[in-house]
Amino acid sequence: MKLWISMLILALSVVSFCIWEGVYTNKIFNQLEQESEYIYNAVQTEKFGSEDLTNKIYNLNETWTKKMDILSISISRKDLQPVSDYIQYLVSSTTNNSQEDAITYARLLWYNIVGLSEVVSFSSINLL
């Protein structure tokens, strides 16, 4: 009987962690998708180099830096690395004041975040 209780506690712990991780990952990727899409649209339409846009890009960089360690529990760092690279390219394009580079990297960033989100989300296609 003691063995069954231990196994049940362990199973509940694992299931609870999986549910928490799925909800947390989904929440992070929804936030990142919204922010990266906003940045992509803003880079195309707003005056490049504005303080608001620059702050959004730096805030996205800080958010990603904080959240990447937790995401690496369930997602390979190899899969997360392109997002990190494109965020750094985007930050450097604001430093260099290069709107063309910022448009390119913002689009690639958004595309990679959406793709990674679809890969790690809970869906019937991923179950296959």
Side-chain angles (χ1 to χ4, degrees):
M1 186 65 177
K2 290 181 183 181
L3 181 65
W4 286 103
I5 293 173
S6 301
M7 289 175 52
L8 182 62
I9 290 172
L10 183 61
L12 287 174
S13 299
V14 169
V15 168
S16 298
F17 173 74
C18 290
I19 290 171
W20 172 83
E21 187 272 331
V23 169
Y24 186 77
T25 302
N26 190 24
K27 179 180 152 188
I28 289 174
F29 276 111
N30 285 338
Q31 176 188 1
L32 290 173
E33 280 182 45
Q34 291 173 355
E35 289 179 13
S36 64
E37 187 174 16
Y38 171 81
I39 290 171
Y40 175 65
N41 291 329
V43 164
Q44 291 181 339
T45 58
E46 292 181 14
K47 179 181 177 284
F48 187 72
S50 68
E51 191 169 330
D52 181 47
L53 180 58
T54 304
N55 287 339
K56 285 279 191 186
I57 292 170
Y58 286 127
N59 288 340
L60 179 64
N61 184 32
E62 289 177 21
T63 301
W64 178 253
T65 302
K66 291 176 186 175
K67 305 295 184 184
M68 190 173 116
D69 290 334
I70 296 171
L71 288 173
S72 66
I73 292 171
S74 61
I75 304 170
S76 167
R77 283 197 182 265
K78 181 181 78 170
D79 294 334
L80 297 174
Q81 191 59 44
V83 174
S84 297
D85 292 343
Y86 291 130
I87 289 174
Q88 293 308 310
Y89 294 150
L90 192 56
V91 168
S92 69
S93 68
T94 60
T95 304
N96 295 335
N97 203 19
S98 174
Q99 185 171 8
E100 294 82 17
D101 289 343
I103 291 170
T104 302
Y105 295 130
R107 179 65 177 171
L108 288 169
L109 173 65
W110 177 79
Y111 180 77
N112 276 284
I113 288 174
V114 168
L116 197 56
S117 176
E118 288 178 6
V119 167
V120 299
S121 67
F122 184 75
S123 67
S124 59
I125 292 178
N126 288 341
L127 292 176
L128 296 176

